[in-house]
Amino acid sequence: MRATLDQIGSIARRSIVRTLRQPGALAPTIIFPLMLFAVYSAGAETAEKLPGFPDVDYTEFAFAVPFMHVALFATGIAGTDMARDIESGFLQRLALTPIGGVSLLIGQVAGAAVMGLIAASAYVVTGLIVGVDVAAGIGGWVILIALSVCISFAFAGLGLAIAVHAGNAEAVQGAFPLLFATFFLSSFALPRPLIEVDWFRAVATANPVSYLLEGERSLIIVGWDAPALALGFGLSALIAGLALMISARLLRTRLVRT
Amino acid sequence: MRAADNSIEVEGLVRAFKNGPRAVDGIDLRVEPGEIYGFLGPNGAGKSTTVMMLTTLLPPTGGTARVAGFDIVREGPKVRRVIGAALQEVALDPYLTGREHFRLQASLLGLSRAERTRRGQALLERVGLIEAADRKTGGYSGGMKRRLDLALALLGEPRVLFLDEPTTGLDPQSRSALWEEVARLAREDGVTVFLTTQYLEEADVLARRVAIIDNGRIVAEGTPAELKAGIGDPTVEAVPHDPAQRAAAAEALATIGTPCAAPSELGVSVRLRGGAADLPAVVRALDGAGVRLAQLHLHEPSLDDVFLAKTGRSLEGAADGAEPVNPPR
């Protein structure tokens, strides 16, 4: 057990160092969701007047969006890093050591999770500057960051699965628009009951991204909403577990050491 | 005495890919403990596939192999514990420093903190990378990357070392330094070295024995001297100053050796049974015939000649799928 934890720690340290040494990739990942947030909150203010819209500013309603966006970027970062390891042969270098597949995968997503932590912290500061009032208070800010890191971890796991399956960075980047589409087919812009188009509402209801967003949003506009938080944390754990399980299976095919 | 066994034993090893040719087609070989064994062949001959199987990174589809006494299929983790490998691609993380590579690999190998530092420092010194140790490897030259790769392969103090084309792309100075280090490992530390290369000189200089692989099969094996001796005696080529004296030169040389095709159009050649010892007689015969020489060359058989004799192709051109220049013997 100790050896396994050491291995995870070593791979995680490398993943974090690698992520932090790519400021060119890290900065846009943090800034782009903020820009989108500015566009949403400025352009959809009229939604506040819809009957049934929560009794909050649209800025506060939309504030969960960048936290979710950064998780989507985590998919790309973790997936691309893994794909590069496969392409460069670094994975074979690791395969010559006694490291286990699951340890390798868990360690690999650490960089993306740390990126999620840095981004979420930056968004909290931004929220404080623009006057976002988090209904759950100071503890709510902390849990918001924690949930954001969990979601980033889960989506980074999806990135790994794509990378291990495809074995190249282009495939990971190609999957990114698809993930972005799942975001837009969620309750990111409006509460689900207020979505008028039936098929869109049905898709948003079936889309796990809606519940992850609503978990984060609940802290901002509702306060301590246990069911919403349980769904948010539970789904992110489920996605992470499934993604790592699939990645581990795929890794056995990719890394056929005897 | 399995624990001290640093040998490599391979019997009928095969690797067939789906809908493709057999990359390795039933090879047999034995590498003695502490020996440097050269595995020579052109690109695509099956060298790297063999290394991948022997390092447990690719399961064979037939045959058996034991590395340091452990079966590569049934005892993969035990094999990995006693080997080091520098594979064909120098796989380094460009965002990590040289020292960080050591830390990562040492911790994955389960070395204690003290041991990590001690071995890392010693190896960095040995390959001359102390000053560059805290720089990111993305800025290293090709030679520095190769040296770091070799040092990382030695981190686990391996009993058997696999080097897959370790000097490809290196400048002569870096190549020579790496050869020196590999030779020292075998000589002083008793490490068995399995070295693949497409450089004839490398195999000639380093390896005690050489196997030549082509199209997945070993076509010749032995010491470089044995292999070269096996294809015939050295030849001497005389190029007269006046081309009109070619016939006179050929007549004079025929008294010393067996006539054979000359490498150049201007010269005449004979095969010398006595090798370089026959040169004085050659000079005397040509002088006696009044032939004024422009050039005189003694051609010792090379491993390329061995490759040519065994496959009908020159090693230089074989990588590009060149057609046979002579039928195989």
Side-chain angles (χ1 to χ4, degrees):
Chain A
M1 188 62 189
R2 172 85 190 268
T4 304
L5 288 176
D6 275 354
Q7 288 174 348
I8 294 173
S10 300
I11 296 291
R13 210 164 20 250
R14 178 221 171 196
S15 173
I16 293 166
V17 165
R18 183 158 68 156
T19 302
L20 296 179
R21 286 184 185 163
Q22 300 179 69
L26 193 61
T29 302
I30 295 171
I31 293 165
F32 184 65
L34 280 178
M35 289 166 64
L36 279 179
F37 164 63
V39 172
Y40 296 145
S41 45
E45 280 175 338
T46 50
E48 290 171 15
K49 299 185 179 74
L50 286 172
F53 192 85
D55 189 19
V56 290
D57 285 350
Y58 193 79
T59 304
E60 283 169 354
F61 180 83
F63 190 59
V65 168
F67 291 87
M68 192 62 224
H69 261 160
V70 83
L72 297 180
F73 281 112
T75 314
I77 286 187
T80 304
D81 282 352
M82 184 69 174
R84 281 191 189 138
D85 278 355
I86 293 169
E87 288 174 310
S88 70
F90 198 85
L91 192 66
Q92 285 180 334
R93 175 184 294 289
L94 298 178
L96 284 167
T97 70
I99 191 168
V102 175
S103 307
L104 173 67
L105 292 168
I106 293 174
Q108 285 275 23
V109 293
V114 165
M115 186 207 68
L117 175 68
I118 295 169
S121 305
Y123 302 153
V124 164
V125 173
T126 308
L128 291 170
I129 291 168
V130 300
V132 171
D133 184 20
V134 168
I138 293 171
W141 285 114
V142 176
I143 298 300
L144 183 58
I145 292 173
L147 181 53
S148 183
V149 171
C150 287
I151 298 171
S152 292
F153 189 90
F155 275 72
L158 287 179
L160 286 189
I162 297 166
V164 176
H165 174 66
N168 63 74
E170 288 78 12
V172 175
Q173 282 145 18
F176 190 68
L178 282 176
L179 282 167
F180 230 72
T182 62
F183 168 77
F184 285 110
L185 291 170
S186 73
S187 56
F188 85 99
L190 283 174
R192 275 179 290 128
L194 299 190
I195 299 174
E196 280 196 350
V197 180
D198 290 344
W199 71 264
F200 194 163
R201 190 172 57 252
V203 171
T205 303
N207 185 352
V209 172
S210 295
Y211 302 98
L212 297 172
L213 259 170
E214 288 164 16
E216 291 178 323
R217 184 176 286 150
S218 70
L219 290 160
I220 305 163
I221 66 172
V222 177
W224 295 103
D225 181 347
L229 285 176
L231 260 178
F233 277 105
L235 267 176
S236 54
L238 185 68
I239 293 169
L242 279 174
L244 289 176
M245 205 170 72
I246 293 167
S247 302
R249 282 183 77 91
L250 292 168
L251 193 62
R252 277 203 287 273
T253 316
R254 170 74 54 194
L255 204 64
V256 282
R257 61 183 174 180
T258 58
Chain B
M1 294 305 287
R2 191 162 129 151
D5 182 5
N6 292 0
S7 64
I8 302 171
E9 296 162 275
V10 176
E11 277 179 34
L13 199 66
V14 174
R15 178 65 207 194
F17 291 103
K18 271 183 195 168
N19 307 320
R22 286 179 158 206
V24 174
D25 195 4
I27 63 169
D28 301 298
L29 58 91
R30 179 177 167 82
V31 184
E32 300 299 331
E35 178 181 10
I36 299 179
Y37 187 85
F39 207 49
L40 182 67
N43 286 338
K47 303 188 299 291
S48 294
T49 307
T50 303
V51 168
M52 292 290 278
M53 287 192 282
L54 295 179
T55 53
T56 77
L57 294 177
L58 185 67
T61 51
T64 59
R66 299 180 81 81
V67 173
F70 300 116
D71 186 285
I72 60 164
V73 176
R74 290 195 305 271
E75 300 173 292
K78 288 180 181 168
V79 172
R80 288 192 288 277
R81 218 167 289 148
V82 296
I83 64 167
L87 301 177
Q88 198 170 8
E89 297 296 328
V90 182
L92 300 172
D93 185 332
Y95 299 104
L96 295 189
T97 66
R99 204 183 298 280
E100 285 166 345
H101 275 87
F102 276 101
R103 271 192 216 127
L104 172 66
Q105 195 149 322
S107 67
L108 295 180
L109 289 171
L111 302 182
S112 68
R113 268 177 204 282
E115 194 66 359
R116 281 177 215 176
T117 311
R118 187 190 66 77
R119 284 197 206 174
Q121 190 70 10
L123 285 168
L124 281 166
E125 271 172 29
R126 194 195 283 186
V127 297
L129 286 174
I130 281 288
E131 282 182 21
D134 296 310
R135 275 168 39 202
K136 284 185 263 182
T137 59
Y140 280 18
S141 67
M144 291 163 83
K145 285 179 183 170
R146 285 277 178 198
R147 280 185 281 151
L148 179 62
D149 195 30
L150 175 65
L152 288 167
L154 297 174
L155 190 59
E157 298 186 337
R159 285 156 45 188
V160 181
L161 181 65
F162 292 90
L163 301 175
D164 193 1
E165 302 196 10
T167 58
T168 300
L170 291 192
D171 58 83
Q173 199 182 349
S174 304
R175 185 178 297 183
S176 162
L178 203 131
W179 286 355
E180 212 170 286
E181 181 57 27
V182 172
R184 195 201 65 75
L185 280 168
R187 193 177 57 241
E188 294 177 16
D189 300 347
V191 176
T192 305
V193 181
F194 189 91
L195 168 90
T196 80
T197 183
Q198 46 181 321
Y199 296 128
L200 303 158
E201 189 194 357
E202 187 161 277
D204 219 349
V205 168
L206 273 181
R208 191 175 76 78
R209 283 187 308 138
V210 170
I212 295 178
I213 184 169
D214 186 43
N215 291 324
R217 293 182 179 194
I218 292 178
V219 294
E221 191 193 37
T223 66
E226 281 169 359
L227 290 174
K228 286 185 267 190
I231 64 153
D233 299 322
T235 60
V236 67
E237 181 195 12
V239 181
H241 197 268
D242 178 1
Q245 286 194 307
R246 279 189 76 231
E251 199 176 322
L253 287 180
T255 63
I256 312 292
T258 315
C260 60
S264 77
E265 280 180 16
L266 298 173
V268 289
S269 278
V270 290
R271 205 169 283 286
L272 300 173
R273 267 184 297 278
D278 285 347
L279 276 181
V282 167
V283 173
R284 277 196 299 272
L286 289 168
D287 193 41
V291 177
R292 196 174 153 221
L293 284 176
Q295 294 167 34
L296 188 69
H297 300 287
L298 179 70
H299 297 289
E300 294 280 357
S302 68
L303 285 176
D304 195 31
D305 295 324
V306 178
F307 189 82
L308 180 69
K310 297 292 179 184
T311 68
R313 286 172 297 149
S314 164
L315 186 58
E316 300 290 320
D320 308 321
E323 291 297 310
V325 292
N326 279 320
R329 285 183 192 175

